[in-house]
Amino acid sequence: MSPTIPPLAGKLEGLRSSAIRDLLKLTSRADIVSLAGGLPDAELMPRERLATAADAALSHNGCLQYTESTGWTPLREVLAHRESAGLGRSVRLAEVFVTHGSQQALSLLAEVLLDPGALVVVEDPAYVGALQVFRAAGARIAAVPLDGEGMRTEAITALIARGERPAVVHTVSNFHNPGGVTMSPRRRMELARLAEQHGFWVIEDDPYGELWFDSPAPAPVASYSSNVIRLSSASKILSPSLRVGWMVAPEPVCRAVELLKQGADLCGSALTQQITADLLADTTWLAGHVDHVRAVYGERAKALVHATRTRFADRVRCGDAAGGMFVWADFTDGTDTDRLLPRALESGVAYVPGSAFAVDGGYRNSMRMCFTTSDAATLELAIDRLADAVG
Amino acid sequence: MSPTIPPLAGKLEGLRSSAIRDLLKLTSRADIVSLAGGLPDAELMPRERLATAADAALSHNGCLQYTESTGWTPLREVLAHRESAGLGRSVRLAEVFVTHGSQQALSLLAEVLLDPGALVVVEDPAYVGALQVFRAAGARIAAVPLDGEGMRTEAITALIARGERPAVVHTVSNFHNPGGVTMSPRRRMELARLAEQHGFWVIEDDPYGELWFDSPAPAPVASYSSNVIRLSSASKILSPSLRVGWMVAPEPVCRAVELLKQGADLCGSALTQQITADLLADTTWLAGHVDHVRAVYGERAKALVHATRTRFADRVRCGDAAGGMFVWADFTDGTDTDRLLPRALESGVAYVPGSAFAVDGGYRNSMRMCFTTSDAATLELAIDRLADAVG
C-alpha cells in the first residue's frame, strides 16, 4: 500500500454495510440454524430445466454478444405478455425494461426520479436494500408504518396535509420483507389515487407476489395508475444467478433508465436473459414449478408459525405467513431482540433483530424469521432453541 | 399515460444517449459495411467451450444462489493468480473485485473516488463510456491529448503547475479506444510517479491488452504504483454475455466499491462467474484460444490499414494497429468526417466520426474504424466505398 494513498469520496463516510449482511457472516456456522438469511432455497431452483435452457441458448452464437441496454427483446416480449395478464391491460414493449435483478431497478430509479433532498416515503419496518439506495441518493426519508393491511396510507395523507410533497413512495406490496403483510385492495386503490392527485411516483417492488400459499395476491397497485412503476424479478421463482429483474414503467422513465444503464454497466447478459425467456415462456412447466415452490414454502411457513405460537403462546405475536419468505414476530413481554441475539446464537439459532429494519429506531421487541431454507423439523428445532434462549 | 405524469430528476437534462449507440441503430442495414461498431466478433467466441463450462456449473446447485458482492471467491482466486503474473507481484484476494463488466467498475469508482466538482483527467479522444460516467458524477473534466506514445503526461504536469489538483486520471493504456495507441513504458513510469507525488488515483482501463498482434503490451501502469487501479474484462477475450469485468485495487477501494455494489445490484451472477473461472483457469486452452483471436484480428487490422494507405495514400494518416479493435485515421486534406458520414452511408460504409470522441470539440477530420467483425475482403470493400464517398 502506498504511504500516500489518495483520498476516497467524502460521502462514503455516511455509508455502512448492511447489518443483515454482516450478521449473515456470523451465522454460517454449521451448528446454528439460521432464520436470519433472506435467500430462496437453492434445492428448489430448477437446475435441470436451467441446464436444458443453457444448452439451447449456447447451441447458437446469438447469446454471446452484448445485448440491448433495455434487455434482450424476446425476453421483454415474454415479460410484456406476462405483465399484461397481471395488470389487466396490454403492456407495450417500450414499457418493459430488464435490469440486473430488481435491486438495479431501484438504484437506477433513485437516480432517475430523485433530485437531492427529495422526499421518499418508505414502509417501516423497511426493505433495507431500498432504504440504502434512497439514502445514498441524498433523499429525505419519511417512514410510514405497516399494519395488517400493509402500508398505512393515511399517514401519507397526513404528511401531505403538513405540506410535505413526496417525490416517490416505495412499497413492497406483497408478502412484505420484512413485515410479511400484503397491502389490501382498498389501500392499493387509495395509494394510486393519492399518487395521481398529488403527482408522485409509486415504486411497487414485488419480488414475492408469485409466492402465495393460500390465495393469489390482489391485483397490483400498478393496475390502478400509470404513476406506479412496477418491479419484479426471476430471483425468487427461478434463480438469483440469472440476475434478471424487470420494470414496467411509462416510456419516459424507461428511456431515462436506459441512459443511466449504459453508464452503469452497458447491458445485461444475453445468455442469462435467453435462459430466463426460455423458462418464463414455458408456461405449463413454469406453473407446475412455481406450484411446487409454493407448496414447500407454504408448509415451512405454517410449521414456523405453528411452532412459534405453540412455544411462545401470547408472549409472541406473529402473522399468518400467507406468502413470501418471511415471518415478522413481536415479543409482547418486552424481550429486547438486539440483546437476545448473542444468547440465541449460543443456543444455536439466528434471526434478524427488528432494529435492523427500523427507519428511525424502534422495533426492539421484533424479529424477522426466514423460513425458506429449512424443513419443518428444523424450523421447530430453531424455535425450541429460541425459547431456550429467551428462558 | 397519466395526464399528470410526475417529474423526473433535473440532472437528466444534461444526459444524452451515446452518439455511437444512436449511430449503430442507423448502420444495421444489411447493405452497409459497418466499421462503426465496437463489438468483438461473436464468431470467434468459444461457444462450445462455454457450453461445456455451463454444463459443468449446472451439474450442481452451487451456481444458482446469490453470490458474494465482491464476486465468487474461486473466480477471484483465478483472477488474483492471473493478475499476479501480469503485475509481477503477489496480488491478494482482498485486492480483487469482480464487476458486471468493467463499465460497472468505472461507474462505481466514479462514486467511490470523486466528490462533486473533483477534477478528472481523461485522454482526448476519449473512451465515451468513461466520459459519460465521470460527467454524470459531477466531475470537472480535463482533456489530455494522445500521441504515438499514448497519453501526453507532460500535459498533466502542466495542469498541476497551473494549480489544478486531479483526483483521478483515466487511461486506456493498451490499444486505445478510439485512438489505437499504446502508452509507452516511459510514460507509464512518469504517470505512476506523478500519481504518487501528487496523491491522485490512476484508473488503468485495460480491456484490450491481451489482443496484441506482434508483441505483448508493456508492463501495466499498475506495476509501477499502488495508486493505480487496474480494470480488465472477459468481454473481449471470451464473451461479453458473461458480464465479467474485474478490478485490482488497494483494499480500502475494494471495500468501498463493495458497499456501493450492494446498493447497485447486490451481486453478480454465480453462474456466469463460475463459467468464467472455468475458462480462465484452463490456461492451455485459453492461450490457444486467445492466440487464434489475435491472429484473426491481426490479419483484419493489417488488411484495413493496408487498404486505407493504398487507397488514400497521404490524404489519410493512420496508425499501425498493433492490437485491440480499432484504427484511428486522420484526413490530411481537410475532409470533415461529420459531413462525410451521410455520403459514406449512401455509398454503403459506416464509421464513427472523430467528433463523437472529442472532449471539448475537434477531431472533425478524424474517424474511428473497427476491424473486428469483417474479413479482409469486406474491409477492402469498405475502404473502396469510403474512397467513393470522399470522391
Side-chain angles (χ1 to χ4, degrees), chain B residues 363-383:
Chain B
Y363 301 109
R364 289 294 294 260
N365 307 125
S366 306
M367 62 185 167
R368 187 191 79 175
M369 298 184 288
C370 177
F371 50 75
T372 52
T373 48
S374 306
D375 61 22
T378 308
L379 292 165
E380 283 157 22
L381 174 67
I383 295 301

Side-chain angles (χ1 to χ4, degrees), chain B residues 237-248:
Chain B
I237 56 172
L238 297 176
S239 163
S241 74
L242 297 168
R243 305 314 294 127
V244 169
W246 58 89
M247 171 173 90
V248 179

Side-chain angles (χ1 to χ4, degrees), chain A residues 66, chain B residues 82 101-102 206-207 231-238 244-246:
Chain A
Y66 290 97
Chain B
R82 184 183 169 85
S102 59
D206 184 21
L231 309 186
S232 193
S233 168
S235 295
K236 309 305 191 286
I237 56 172
L238 297 176
V244 169
W246 58 89

Side-chain angles (χ1 to χ4, degrees), chain A residues 250-281:
Chain A
E251 212 178 319
V253 174
C254 290
R255 281 200 305 265
V257 169
E258 182 181 0
L259 284 179
L260 292 177
K261 168 95 178 160
Q262 289 176 14
D265 61 12
L266 297 179
C267 64
S269 165
L271 175 60
T272 68
Q273 292 191 14
Q274 291 191 23
I275 293 171
T276 308
D278 186 338
L279 269 65
L280 292 181

Side-chain angles (χ1 to χ4, degrees), chain A residues 1-12 15-18 21 25 38-48 50-52 54-55 57-61 63-69 92 100-101 103-108 110-115 127 129 132-133 136 167 195-197 199-201 225-227 233 235-236 238-243 250-253 256 258-272 275 373, chain B residues 1-12 15-18 21 25 38-48 50-52 54-55 57-61 63-69 92 100-101 103-108 110-115 127 129 132-133 136 167 195-197 199-201 225-227 233 235-236 238-243 250-253 256 258-272 275 373:
Chain A
M1 196 80 49
S2 159
T4 58
I5 182 173
L8 304 182
K11 69 172 172 189
L12 291 171
L15 285 181
R16 57 190 183 86
S17 181
S18 148
R21 282 189 173 254
K25 290 175 190 168
L39 305 179
D41 189 347
E43 299 290 325
L44 296 176
M45 295 175 198
R47 184 173 58 76
E48 289 179 15
L50 286 164
T52 308
D55 231 44
L58 284 161
S59 70
H60 57 86
N61 276 356
C63 67
L64 301 177
Q65 195 53 278
Y66 290 97
T67 188
E68 299 93 324
S69 300
R92 287 172 306 116
H100 189 250
Q103 183 69 29
Q104 183 179 50
L106 279 177
S107 73
L108 296 178
E111 290 194 69
V112 162
L113 303 181
L114 299 175
D115 286 312
Y127 168 54
Q132 191 179 8
V133 159
E196 297 210 341
Q197 184 182 347
F200 59 78
W201 292 105
S225 167
S226 60
N227 281 24
S233 169
S235 295
K236 308 306 189 286
L238 297 175
S239 163
S241 74
L242 297 168
R243 305 312 296 125
E251 212 178 319
V253 174
E258 182 181 0
L259 284 179
L260 292 177
K261 168 95 178 160
Q262 289 176 14
D265 61 12
L266 297 179
C267 64
S269 165
L271 175 60
T272 68
I275 293 171
T373 49
Chain B
M1 194 82 50
S2 159
T4 58
I5 181 174
L8 304 182
K11 68 174 173 189
L12 290 173
L15 285 179
R16 56 189 184 86
S17 181
S18 148
R21 282 189 174 255
K25 289 175 190 167
L39 305 179
D41 189 348
E43 299 291 325
L44 297 175
M45 294 174 198
R47 185 172 59 76
E48 289 179 14
L50 286 163
T52 308
D55 230 43
L58 285 162
S59 69
H60 58 88
N61 276 356
C63 67
L64 301 177
Q65 195 52 279
Y66 289 98
T67 188
E68 300 94 323
S69 299
R92 288 171 306 114
H100 188 249
Q103 183 69 27
Q104 185 180 50
L106 279 176
S107 72
L108 296 178
E111 289 193 71
V112 161
L113 304 180
L114 300 175
D115 286 311
Y127 168 54
Q132 192 180 9
V133 159
E196 296 210 340
Q197 185 182 345
F200 59 79
W201 293 106
S225 168
S226 61
N227 281 24
S233 168
S235 295
K236 309 305 191 286
L238 297 176
S239 163
S241 74
L242 297 168
R243 305 314 294 127
E251 214 177 316
V253 174
E258 184 181 359
L259 285 180
L260 292 178
K261 169 95 178 161
Q262 288 175 15
D265 60 13
L266 296 179
C267 65
S269 165
L271 175 59
T272 69
I275 294 172
T373 48

Side-chain angles (χ1 to χ4, degrees), chain B residues 300-386:
Chain B
R300 291 175 184 175
K302 281 169 188 26
L304 178 64
V305 168
H306 181 75
T308 305
R309 287 178 178 162
T310 306
R311 262 322 213 127
F312 288 98
D314 57 3
R315 291 179 67 190
V316 169
R317 202 170 43 218
C318 70
D320 277 331
M325 297 176 28
F326 304 104
V327 169
W328 180 260
D330 303 299
F331 281 93
T332 57
D333 62 358
T335 298
D336 181 314
T337 53
D338 278 24
R339 295 174 61 188
L340 176 64
L341 188 59
R343 287 206 308 279
L345 291 170
E346 259 173 57
S347 301
V349 61
Y351 58 83
V352 183
S355 62
F357 309 98
V359 180
D360 306 307
Y363 301 109
R364 289 294 294 260
N365 307 125
S366 306
M367 62 185 167
R368 187 191 79 175
M369 298 184 288
C370 177
F371 50 75
T372 52
T373 48
S374 306
D375 61 22
T378 308
L379 292 165
E380 283 157 22
L381 174 67
I383 295 301
D384 284 347
R385 290 178 176 182
L386 188 65

Side-chain angles (χ1 to χ4, degrees), chain B residues 89-102:
Chain B
R89 69 176 180 86
S90 177
V91 172
R92 288 171 306 114
L93 204 58
E95 300 174 272
V96 179
F97 194 100
V98 180
T99 53
H100 188 249
S102 59

